Amino acid sequence: MNKTNIKYMISFLLSLVLVFTACEDDDLNDKIAEVVQENREITITNKVVSTNFIGNGVQWGGYDLVPTWLGEETLSEADWNTLFNRIDFMRPPFLRIMTNSGWAYDNNGVYDETTKTTSLFKMLDYAQSRNIEITYGEWGHQSTGNISDIDMNWIANSVKFLNHLVNEKGYTVIKTVNIINEPNGSWASTQGNYDIYRDVQLAYIAEMANYSLSNVKLMGPDIAVFNTASQTEWFTNTETDLGDNVGLYDIHVYPKQQLVRNGEFAEMLRVYKENTPADKQVVLGEIGFKYDAVDAELKLENEEAIENDPFAGEDSNMMVYKAFYGIDMADALIQSMREGFSGSLVWNMDDAMYNSPDNGDYQTTMLKRWGFWNILGEELIGNASDEAIRPYFYPVSLLTRYFPAGSDIYNVELPNKKGVRAVVGVNNGKYTIALVNSHYTTYEINLKSEFISSVTLNKYMYKSNSDGSFVGEVDSNGFAAPSEIGMNLNFEIGEKMTLEGESFMLFTNMD
């Protein structure tokens, strides 16, 4: 039990002691009932946690091996249309698209803006047409010998290509550039060296000054923190060294399931939020779940599933096929919003984006299985059913669609009930209320508000079953559909409802 839960439990027990010692026998039951009822109340407060929400979204990009795998320049038009239809339902306000020189503008040592960019331009055309904010970047820097010797020719070409995207192709939705993925890691091009990271950013900024790119800022430091708040110096050093060149701060998190379900995840996020400059926003640049000895059963189950799938690489989370992963992801996203993060990018959209070259085979068909689907199920692995939408798309798509860019996020006071989290978004006078219960116990709750009185909302409901399936209304496309339409709710007096174990509910009157 974490410190927060202990505090609430002590408070609850003291309340009961006071009831027993201060009350007459004839009203004892009434007082106990009152205390129990208070521990059912979820109250939407008028306290604003954050403004100008950027949005929840997802990692997109890749498809660079499609020519190798299929002998085709890019995905088929049918596959692109399926992708666009699904993303249209999500309506993500925010996406991350990463590349590197060899997948974009370097064609065997020759600067080339067209040969390898068909898939990239397809994605950016889509994002521009929907006004989706993009953070674009490269996975790592290039050097001339020692990794600290920055290849300035690479800097010149990378920025030249960025200018081509923004000013020549007109992809003005690119708001930030993310140069060097997870630079604090030993696996990064920096091998964890902050000074190299800083020097690459400064060189990039200097080259950007040669173009009309003042509207594009850096996103960083993009560090992988996984489960701890032990590397906040990357935030303070970035602020000192890069200042207003940084438009958006971010971290990558791959927490243990237990860290999220017991609420400690929020405590970790709070530390990074507190270390973000007051005039800047912070997002989760990647979020997924990885299992270690703490989640021993899930770790074993994941490893066995990878072993039994000839197309799953070591860097896969096979739990994306199971409904509980949707509960865990909803819990994590809601906790991030409650802590003032301005968005989260789920890892990732589609299995077909990246392979997992575990044994040094960079052409392998072993995939990074993390996606909402595998759009190449039929073409690549001979299994059309693998193209189907997986369960966790249901809650994640709702948390992207109904918390649009520009929303104000409000705090919600919670009872002492394990696994219960809630958050509220307000945009143009309309409301979205999201609740999750990641514990196994079903709770009776009373949902109230300090500033929303009576309102008509649609209700979405997702319940994870023990066999991996879920209960939730879907339409003919497999997209989330309301379980109830036009509910008249009175939050002034309170709305009593049941929040089942391992379930997610969302109420909204947004379109």
Side-chain angles (χ1 to χ4, degrees):
M1 184 178 293
N2 62 30
K3 292 179 181 178
T4 302
N5 284 340
I6 291 172
K7 179 182 72 174
Y8 282 124
M9 184 59 70
I10 291 172
S11 176
F12 180 73
L13 291 174
L14 285 175
S15 297
L16 288 180
V17 170
L18 290 172
V19 166
F20 277 106
T21 57
C23 299
E24 299 293 335
D25 291 342
D26 58 0
D27 66 355
L28 180 58
N29 289 336
D30 290 341
K31 292 295 182 181
I32 292 175
E34 182 181 333
V35 172
V36 170
Q37 185 59 40
E38 286 177 355
N39 195 43
R40 291 178 175 175
E41 290 187 355
I42 296 178
T43 303
I44 303 165
T45 74
N46 56 15
K47 178 185 176 183
V48 177
V49 175
S50 67
T51 60
N52 196 28
F53 190 63
I54 295 171
N56 296 316
V58 63
Q59 174 81 26
W60 201 17
Y63 303 117
D64 304 291
L65 286 167
V66 170
T68 299
W69 288 338
L70 304 182
E72 303 291 341
E73 186 176 26
T74 187
L75 303 174
S76 68
E77 282 302 303
D79 283 341
W80 279 116
N81 289 336
T82 297
L83 282 174
F84 296 157
N85 185 48
R86 292 174 177 183
I87 302 169
D88 276 344
F89 176 77
M90 289 181 71
R91 207 184 293 158
F94 188 33
L95 294 168
R96 180 176 183 246
I97 299 176
M98 299 288 283
T99 187
N100 66 29
S101 62
W103 291 343
Y105 53 84
D106 186 336
N107 188 9
N108 295 319
V110 177
Y111 181 82
D112 178 352
E113 298 170 341
T114 59
T115 302
K116 299 183 177 183
T117 50
T118 302
S119 294
L120 176 63
F121 291 168
K122 275 277 192 182
M123 291 181 283
L124 289 173
D125 283 340
Y126 173 85
Q128 187 71 32
S129 70
R130 270 67 168 182
N131 195 32
I132 300 170
E133 179 170 336
I134 298 296
T135 185
Y136 161 84
E138 296 199 32
W139 292 109
H141 80 291
Q142 295 181 20
S143 54
T144 56
N146 188 290
I147 61 170
S148 62
D149 297 327
I150 302 167
D151 183 346
M152 298 307 293
N153 186 58
W154 164 74
I155 289 281
N157 285 337
S158 180
V159 176
K160 181 180 180 181
F161 186 65
L162 175 63
N163 179 70
H164 176 63
L165 296 178
V166 175
N167 291 320
E168 295 174 2
K169 294 288 290 183
Y171 298 131
T172 55
V173 289
I174 297 175
K175 302 298 183 183
T176 52
V177 59
N178 177 198
I179 300 300
I180 305 180
N181 180 68
E182 299 177 353
N184 62 321
S186 60
W187 55 89
S189 65
T190 56
Q191 297 180 12
N193 187 308
Y194 171 80
D195 290 346
I196 298 174
Y197 164 78
R198 175 201 61 208
D199 292 347
V200 170
Q201 309 306 305
L202 291 171
Y204 213 88
I205 293 164
E207 184 64 19
M208 286 174 67
N210 294 323
Y211 298 89
S212 298
L213 290 169
S214 59
N215 289 331
V216 180
K217 301 293 184 180
L218 301 178
M219 182 175 87
D222 206 59
I223 55 174
V225 304
F226 295 97
N227 294 283
T228 69
S230 61
Q231 300 194 55
T232 56
E233 73 277 4
W234 280 78
F235 272 44
T236 52
N237 290 340
T238 294
E239 180 184 13
T240 298
D241 295 331
L242 302 176
D244 285 340
N245 292 296
V246 180
L248 186 62
Y249 281 73
D250 84 301
I251 58 175
H252 292 189
V253 290
Y254 287 87
K256 306 175 181 70
Q257 184 194 62
Q258 286 192 29
L259 188 82
V260 171
R261 290 200 173 196
N262 66 19
E264 291 180 57
F265 183 63
E267 297 174 12
M268 180 191 77
L269 296 182
R270 193 173 307 143
V271 175
Y272 285 100
K273 172 61 177 173
E274 290 170 350
N275 279 273
T276 302
D279 61 339
K280 297 294 172 63
Q281 294 174 285
V282 61
V283 299
L284 298 181
E286 290 181 16
I287 178 170
F289 282 75
K290 289 192 175 183
Y291 311 113
D292 62 13
V294 172
D295 300 315
E297 291 185 9
L298 287 174
K299 180 177 184 291
L300 179 61
E301 184 178 356
N302 191 56
E303 290 171 349
E304 289 178 346
I306 291 171
E307 182 68 25
N308 292 329
D309 185 341
F311 295 98
E314 292 178 8
D315 184 11
S316 294
N317 187 336
M318 305 300 285
M319 300 305 105
V320 296
Y321 288 95
K322 298 200 170 185
F324 79 81
Y325 194 73
I327 297 299
D328 287 339
M329 190 61 76
D331 194 355
L333 295 183
I334 289 173
Q335 287 187 50
S336 75
M337 287 187 278
R338 288 175 56 84
E339 293 304 322
F341 276 63
S342 293
S344 298
L345 294 162
V346 172
W347 182 273
N348 64 24
M349 181 86 77
D350 187 350
D351 292 356
M353 298 186 329
Y354 309 118
N355 66 1
S356 185
D358 308 319
N359 299 312
D361 177 9
Y362 287 89
Q363 314 303 316
T364 182
T365 54
M366 304 282 277
L367 304 175
K368 289 181 183 281
R369 285 203 182 275
W370 292 84
F372 295 132
W373 48 73
N374 171 18
I375 202 64
L376 293 178
E378 181 177 12
E379 298 92 332
L380 183 63
I381 71 174
N383 181 7
S385 66
D386 205 38
E387 299 184 15
I389 295 171
R390 295 169 188 161
Y392 90 106
F393 181 74
Y394 193 109
V396 172
S397 65
L398 295 176
L399 288 169
T400 63
R401 181 182 179 94
Y402 291 123
F403 285 88
S407 295
D408 293 333
I409 306 300
Y410 283 79
N411 183 51
V412 180
E413 292 181 352
L414 303 174
N416 179 32
K417 295 189 181 299
K418 186 175 181 180
V420 173
R421 252 73 66 174
V423 70
V424 171
V426 180
N427 187 267
N428 291 326
K430 295 190 174 183
Y431 307 99
T432 295
I433 305 164
L435 305 96
V436 67
N437 175 12
S438 60
H439 195 43
Y440 303 101
T441 300
T442 293
Y443 302 117
E444 299 302 318
I445 62 169
N446 186 24
L447 185 57
K448 304 177 72 175
S449 175
E450 293 179 351
F451 70 98
I452 307 172
S453 53
S454 296
V455 65
T456 301
L457 304 170
N458 294 335
K459 176 185 177 182
Y460 293 82
M461 181 72 194
Y462 173 95
K463 170 74 171 68
S464 172
N465 294 326
S466 58
D467 64 358
S469 66
F470 69 90
V471 177
E473 296 292 330
V474 296
D475 65 14
S476 60
N477 293 305
F479 303 153
S483 59
E484 296 184 55
I485 297 175
M487 297 180 67
N488 294 312
L489 302 176
N490 190 327
F491 295 126
E492 190 171 4
I493 62 173
E495 287 288 339
K496 292 181 172 61
M497 59 187 70
T498 299
L499 187 55
E500 294 187 72
E502 290 198 298
S503 72
F504 165 81
M505 288 196 296
L506 184 140
F507 300 89
T508 189
N509 59 0
M510 295 187 192
D511 297 328

